[in-house]
Amino acid sequence: MRFTTGHEMQAKVLRLLAGVYLNWDCKLYQDKALNAIRLANEENLHPAGLYLKMKILLNCSLPDSVISMAAADMLRYKMVIDVYLSTVKLIMKYERDCVGYEFLKMICNHFESTPDIEKALLLQIELLTRQGKRLLARQKVEDLITGHYTGKPLSDKALNSLHNILWDCASKSFEQKSYSEALDWYNYSLSIYASDYADSNFAKLQRNRASCLLHLNEISKARDAVTAAEKYDPDSILTHFIHFKIAVKENNALEVSWIHLVAATTQNIV
């Protein structure tokens, strides 16, 4: 600090100093760490400084009320939404779920009229599913899908992220043998596939739906789903295998033999 430097460089040095106190012993050097990051933010406000301040507060095991106030204070600054969402993830990492979720609701309100709101809503759904609040998560998903078709279309990136969240939820439900719930998650994913666009992932989605329907003994619907999968991925051995399982369920000996032959032939070709 003895040298003449610009505000940006002084702020950077102060952030590094605050980081040293944090990694050394945050509880012992709490005041020094907070003072250093306060001075850094006064010299030159930077997203890294706001994020580091929150990290120091969390490491000091301060009450939720202090963390909440610091989080709310961040919204006074005009930062991109990714900074705030990263802070939410940081808060959740330290198991301050209530604080993190309340901050996320503030972010949703703050960015409500901007295209970036979809990022906050997707994180909201992800956190709700992680916390086991599946009914509320499903309501948020339904609201998002309704908005997508009624004037608030999701970007391609947001759609891909939503598909990933839905498939993850479906997979976990399937592992828990909650086949009806898994099917619901897959149906949400199906509902946001563009009518003029389908690919191998679409085929996989239909196979997954067929597997759920088989466990629910809805044979006719399972057949429709696997037929749709076959249209977009006709050479998949997995598609033939589901056909085989349907035939077994229906005690169709002739079809079982035919599918077994097709599957064996396909394997030899591969």
Side-chain angles (χ1 to χ4, degrees):
M1 303 302 292
R2 291 177 300 150
F3 299 97
T4 302
T5 58
H7 294 293
E8 291 184 8
M9 181 56 70
Q10 288 194 35
K12 184 175 182 180
V13 171
L14 285 162
R15 286 197 299 271
L16 290 170
L17 179 61
V20 170
Y21 285 129
L22 170 65
N23 293 317
W24 189 357
D25 190 332
C26 191
K27 291 183 179 179
L28 181 61
Y29 297 107
Q30 172 180 328
D31 292 339
K32 290 182 180 294
L34 288 172
N35 188 50
I37 197 61
R38 177 183 62 80
L39 291 172
N41 290 336
E42 287 176 358
E43 283 291 332
N44 181 54
L45 189 65
H46 191 278
L50 294 174
Y51 186 85
L52 182 55
K53 179 183 176 181
M54 181 60 69
K55 192 172 183 179
I56 292 169
L57 292 172
L58 289 165
N59 272 274
C60 292
S61 301
L62 296 172
D64 283 356
S65 58
V66 176
I67 306 300
S68 295
M69 288 179 61
D73 186 62
M74 287 182 67
L75 289 174
R76 294 193 300 112
Y77 308 107
K78 294 181 179 180
M79 300 289 174
V80 296
I81 194 172
D82 293 335
V83 175
Y84 299 118
L85 297 183
S86 294
T87 304
V88 171
K89 293 176 183 178
L90 177 67
I91 293 171
M92 303 299 286
K93 181 181 177 181
Y94 282 82
E95 299 181 353
R96 303 291 188 100
D97 291 5
C98 292
V99 177
Y101 195 70
E102 286 301 314
F103 183 40
L104 184 54
K105 287 200 291 186
M106 293 182 196
I107 295 169
C108 289
N109 291 332
H110 189 76
F111 288 91
E112 186 176 12
S113 59
T114 72
D116 286 332
I117 184 62
E118 62 184 21
K119 295 181 181 180
L121 294 173
L122 286 169
L123 181 58
Q124 197 174 46
I125 293 168
E126 187 179 341
L127 294 180
L128 285 170
T129 58
R130 193 184 304 172
Q131 294 170 342
K133 299 177 180 178
R134 296 187 178 182
L135 287 177
L136 187 54
R138 287 175 62 166
Q139 182 60 58
K140 296 291 183 182
V141 168
E142 290 169 9
D143 291 344
L144 205 58
I145 293 173
T146 300
H148 177 63
Y149 288 110
T150 57
K152 294 182 180 179
L154 297 170
S155 65
D156 290 342
K157 186 176 181 179
L159 283 172
N160 287 335
S161 296
L162 183 55
H163 280 302
N164 289 335
I165 293 171
L166 295 172
W167 283 37
D168 184 59
C169 290
S171 177
K172 289 175 181 175
S173 295
F174 193 91
E175 289 174 4
Q176 296 166 0
K177 299 184 179 180
S178 299
Y179 303 117
S180 180
E181 186 173 312
L183 180 62
D184 286 341
W185 291 115
Y186 283 130
N187 283 341
Y188 285 137
S189 181
L190 180 65
S191 72
I192 54 175
Y193 254 98
S195 58
D196 59 343
Y197 177 79
D199 55 8
S200 59
N201 282 331
F202 181 78
K204 183 177 179 181
L205 172 60
Q206 292 288 21
R207 285 197 297 270
N208 290 342
R209 292 182 66 251
S211 294
C212 294
L213 290 162
L214 273 175
H215 281 287
L216 295 169
N217 287 315
E218 296 189 36
I219 309 302
S220 177
K221 291 182 179 180
R223 183 181 288 278
D224 290 342
V226 76
T227 299
E230 190 173 24
K231 179 180 178 181
Y232 295 100
D233 193 9
D235 298 326
S236 171
I237 189 67
L238 296 174
T239 302
H240 294 303
F241 183 62
I242 293 176
H243 270 304
F244 174 81
K245 291 202 290 186
I246 291 173
V248 169
K249 282 268 190 182
E250 294 179 328
N251 292 318
N252 189 333
L254 181 61
E255 187 172 354
V256 167
S257 299
W258 178 81
I259 293 171
H260 180 73
L261 177 62
V262 171
T265 304
T266 304
Q267 281 184 319
N268 287 335
I269 292 174
V270 173

PDB file of all heavy atoms in Angstrom, residues 234-248:
ATOM      1  N   PRO A 234     -34.127 -46.284 -35.143  1.00  0.00           N
ATOM      2  CA  PRO A 234     -34.586 -47.636 -35.491  1.00  0.00           C
ATOM      3  C   PRO A 234     -33.575 -48.749 -35.242  1.00  0.00           C
ATOM      4  O   PRO A 234     -33.960 -49.916 -35.113  1.00  0.00           O
ATOM      5  CB  PRO A 234     -34.912 -47.518 -36.988  1.00  0.00           C
ATOM      6  CG  PRO A 234     -34.060 -46.391 -37.475  1.00  0.00           C
ATOM      7  CD  PRO A 234     -33.992 -45.423 -36.331  1.00  0.00           C
ATOM      8  N   ASP A 235     -32.291 -48.405 -35.187  1.00  0.00           N
ATOM      9  CA  ASP A 235     -31.277 -49.445 -35.047  1.00  0.00           C
ATOM     10  C   ASP A 235     -30.876 -49.721 -33.597  1.00  0.00           C
ATOM     11  O   ASP A 235     -29.997 -50.548 -33.351  1.00  0.00           O
ATOM     12  CB  ASP A 235     -30.022 -49.051 -35.837  1.00  0.00           C
ATOM     13  CG  ASP A 235     -30.303 -48.922 -37.330  1.00  0.00           C
ATOM     14  OD1 ASP A 235     -31.156 -49.687 -37.826  1.00  0.00           O
ATOM     15  OD2 ASP A 235     -29.690 -48.057 -37.977  1.00  0.00           O
ATOM     16  N   SER A 236     -31.495 -49.048 -32.668  1.00  0.00           N
ATOM     17  CA  SER A 236     -31.112 -49.211 -31.264  1.00  0.00           C
ATOM     18  C   SER A 236     -31.532 -50.581 -30.727  1.00  0.00           C
ATOM     19  O   SER A 236     -32.702 -50.957 -30.796  1.00  0.00           O
ATOM     20  CB  SER A 236     -31.736 -48.109 -30.406  1.00  0.00           C
ATOM     21  OG  SER A 236     -31.536 -48.381 -29.038  1.00  0.00           O
ATOM     22  N   ILE A 237     -30.572 -51.299 -30.157  1.00  0.00           N
ATOM     23  CA  ILE A 237     -30.876 -52.586 -29.539  1.00  0.00           C
ATOM     24  C   ILE A 237     -31.778 -52.402 -28.325  1.00  0.00           C
ATOM     25  O   ILE A 237     -32.573 -53.280 -27.975  1.00  0.00           O
ATOM     26  CB  ILE A 237     -29.561 -53.314 -29.148  1.00  0.00           C
ATOM     27  CG1 ILE A 237     -29.836 -54.750 -28.697  1.00  0.00           C
ATOM     28  CG2 ILE A 237     -28.837 -52.529 -28.059  1.00  0.00           C
ATOM     29  CD1 ILE A 237     -30.341 -55.624 -29.785  1.00  0.00           C
ATOM     30  N   LEU A 238     -31.679 -51.241 -27.685  1.00  0.00           N
ATOM     31  CA  LEU A 238     -32.513 -50.971 -26.509  1.00  0.00           C
ATOM     32  C   LEU A 238     -33.984 -50.869 -26.898  1.00  0.00           C
ATOM     33  O   LEU A 238     -34.866 -51.309 -26.153  1.00  0.00           O
ATOM     34  CB  LEU A 238     -32.057 -49.669 -25.838  1.00  0.00           C
ATOM     35  CG  LEU A 238     -30.640 -49.668 -25.264  1.00  0.00           C
ATOM     36  CD1 LEU A 238     -30.258 -48.280 -24.762  1.00  0.00           C
ATOM     37  CD2 LEU A 238     -30.531 -50.682 -24.128  1.00  0.00           C
ATOM     38  N   THR A 239     -34.236 -50.293 -28.075  1.00  0.00           N
ATOM     39  CA  THR A 239     -35.617 -50.206 -28.558  1.00  0.00           C
ATOM     40  C   THR A 239     -36.178 -51.598 -28.800  1.00  0.00           C
ATOM     41  O   THR A 239     -37.306 -51.915 -28.405  1.00  0.00           O
ATOM     42  CB  THR A 239     -35.670 -49.382 -29.863  1.00  0.00           C
ATOM     43  OG1 THR A 239     -35.136 -48.080 -29.617  1.00  0.00           O
ATOM     44  CG2 THR A 239     -37.103 -49.254 -30.355  1.00  0.00           C
ATOM     45  N   HIS A 240     -35.384 -52.467 -29.434  1.00  0.00           N
ATOM     46  CA  HIS A 240     -35.819 -53.846 -29.685  1.00  0.00           C
ATOM     47  C   HIS A 240     -36.049 -54.589 -28.371  1.00  0.00           C
ATOM     48  O   HIS A 240     -36.968 -55.401 -28.258  1.00  0.00           O
ATOM     49  CB  HIS A 240     -34.787 -54.591 -30.539  1.00  0.00           C
ATOM     50  CG  HIS A 240     -34.664 -54.046 -31.931  1.00  0.00           C
ATOM     51  ND1 HIS A 240     -35.728 -53.950 -32.787  1.00  0.00           N
ATOM     52  CD2 HIS A 240     -33.581 -53.564 -32.601  1.00  0.00           C
ATOM     53  CE1 HIS A 240     -35.322 -53.443 -33.937  1.00  0.00           C
ATOM     54  NE2 HIS A 240     -34.018 -53.195 -33.851  1.00  0.00           N
ATOM     55  N   PHE A 241     -35.207 -54.308 -27.390  1.00  0.00           N
ATOM     56  CA  PHE A 241     -35.340 -54.993 -26.106  1.00  0.00           C
ATOM     57  C   PHE A 241     -36.655 -54.623 -25.414  1.00  0.00           C
ATOM     58  O   PHE A 241     -37.318 -55.467 -24.809  1.00  0.00           O
ATOM     59  CB  PHE A 241     -34.159 -54.646 -25.200  1.00  0.00           C
ATOM     60  CG  PHE A 241     -34.178 -55.357 -23.876  1.00  0.00           C
ATOM     61  CD1 PHE A 241     -34.112 -56.737 -23.805  1.00  0.00           C
ATOM     62  CD2 PHE A 241     -34.282 -54.634 -22.694  1.00  0.00           C
ATOM     63  CE1 PHE A 241     -34.136 -57.400 -22.587  1.00  0.00           C
ATOM     64  CE2 PHE A 241     -34.309 -55.281 -21.469  1.00  0.00           C
ATOM     65  CZ  PHE A 241     -34.233 -56.675 -21.414  1.00  0.00           C
ATOM     66  N   ILE A 242     -37.052 -53.348 -25.528  1.00  0.00           N
ATOM     67  CA  ILE A 242     -38.325 -52.945 -24.920  1.00  0.00           C
ATOM     68  C   ILE A 242     -39.491 -53.585 -25.664  1.00  0.00           C
ATOM     69  O   ILE A 242     -40.473 -54.022 -25.054  1.00  0.00           O
ATOM     70  CB  ILE A 242     -38.451 -51.402 -24.899  1.00  0.00           C
ATOM     71  CG1 ILE A 242     -37.404 -50.813 -23.951  1.00  0.00           C
ATOM     72  CG2 ILE A 242     -39.846 -50.982 -24.434  1.00  0.00           C
ATOM     73  CD1 ILE A 242     -37.364 -49.296 -23.924  1.00  0.00           C
ATOM     74  N   HIS A 243     -39.388 -53.665 -26.990  1.00  0.00           N
ATOM     75  CA  HIS A 243     -40.395 -54.400 -27.763  1.00  0.00           C
ATOM     76  C   HIS A 243     -40.491 -55.842 -27.241  1.00  0.00           C
ATOM     77  O   HIS A 243     -41.596 -56.390 -27.097  1.00  0.00           O
ATOM     78  CB  HIS A 243     -40.017 -54.422 -29.246  1.00  0.00           C
ATOM     79  CG  HIS A 243     -40.566 -53.270 -30.028  1.00  0.00           C
ATOM     80  ND1 HIS A 243     -41.908 -52.970 -30.084  1.00  0.00           N
ATOM     81  CD2 HIS A 243     -39.932 -52.341 -30.803  1.00  0.00           C
ATOM     82  CE1 HIS A 243     -42.091 -51.911 -30.855  1.00  0.00           C
ATOM     83  NE2 HIS A 243     -40.908 -51.507 -31.307  1.00  0.00           N
ATOM     84  N   PHE A 244     -39.351 -56.422 -26.987  1.00  0.00           N
ATOM     85  CA  PHE A 244     -39.291 -57.798 -26.477  1.00  0.00           C
ATOM     86  C   PHE A 244     -40.017 -57.907 -25.129  1.00  0.00           C
ATOM     87  O   PHE A 244     -40.814 -58.819 -24.900  1.00  0.00           O
ATOM     88  CB  PHE A 244     -37.825 -58.214 -26.334  1.00  0.00           C
ATOM     89  CG  PHE A 244     -37.608 -59.554 -25.691  1.00  0.00           C
ATOM     90  CD1 PHE A 244     -37.740 -60.725 -26.416  1.00  0.00           C
ATOM     91  CD2 PHE A 244     -37.268 -59.651 -24.345  1.00  0.00           C
ATOM     92  CE1 PHE A 244     -37.545 -61.958 -25.820  1.00  0.00           C
ATOM     93  CE2 PHE A 244     -37.078 -60.879 -23.738  1.00  0.00           C
ATOM     94  CZ  PHE A 244     -37.203 -62.038 -24.484  1.00  0.00           C
ATOM     95  N   LYS A 245     -39.763 -56.957 -24.230  1.00  0.00           N
ATOM     96  CA  LYS A 245     -40.394 -56.984 -22.908  1.00  0.00           C
ATOM     97  C   LYS A 245     -41.914 -56.799 -23.012  1.00  0.00           C
ATOM     98  O   LYS A 245     -42.669 -57.416 -22.254  1.00  0.00           O
ATOM     99  CB  LYS A 245     -39.788 -55.912 -22.006  1.00  0.00           C
ATOM    100  CG  LYS A 245     -38.345 -56.182 -21.608  1.00  0.00           C
ATOM    101  CD  LYS A 245     -37.936 -55.453 -20.345  1.00  0.00           C
ATOM    102  CE  LYS A 245     -37.830 -53.986 -20.537  1.00  0.00           C
ATOM    103  NZ  LYS A 245     -37.290 -53.285 -19.330  1.00  0.00           N
ATOM    104  N   ILE A 246     -42.329 -55.966 -23.957  1.00  0.00           N
ATOM    105  CA  ILE A 246     -43.771 -55.786 -24.161  1.00  0.00           C
ATOM    106  C   ILE A 246     -44.404 -57.083 -24.637  1.00  0.00           C
ATOM    107  O   ILE A 246     -45.469 -57.492 -24.156  1.00  0.00           O
ATOM    108  CB  ILE A 246     -44.032 -54.650 -25.176  1.00  0.00           C
ATOM    109  CG1 ILE A 246     -43.646 -53.300 -24.575  1.00  0.00           C
ATOM    110  CG2 ILE A 246     -45.502 -54.625 -25.597  1.00  0.00           C
ATOM    111  CD1 ILE A 246     -43.704 -52.138 -25.556  1.00  0.00           C
ATOM    112  N   ALA A 247     -43.735 -57.737 -25.578  1.00  0.00           N
ATOM    113  CA  ALA A 247     -44.248 -59.002 -26.095  1.00  0.00           C
ATOM    114  C   ALA A 247     -44.332 -60.056 -24.991  1.00  0.00           C
ATOM    115  O   ALA A 247     -45.284 -60.830 -24.925  1.00  0.00           O
ATOM    116  CB  ALA A 247     -43.363 -59.496 -27.238  1.00  0.00           C
ATOM    117  N   VAL A 248     -43.330 -60.080 -24.123  1.00  0.00           N
ATOM    118  CA  VAL A 248     -43.340 -61.021 -22.998  1.00  0.00           C
ATOM    119  C   VAL A 248     -44.528 -60.728 -22.083  1.00  0.00           C
ATOM    120  O   VAL A 248     -45.233 -61.633 -21.624  1.00  0.00           O
ATOM    121  CB  VAL A 248     -42.024 -60.942 -22.197  1.00  0.00           C
ATOM    122  CG1 VAL A 248     -42.131 -61.707 -20.889  1.00  0.00           C
ATOM    123  CG2 VAL A 248     -40.871 -61.487 -23.030  1.00  0.00           C
TER     124      VAL A 248
END
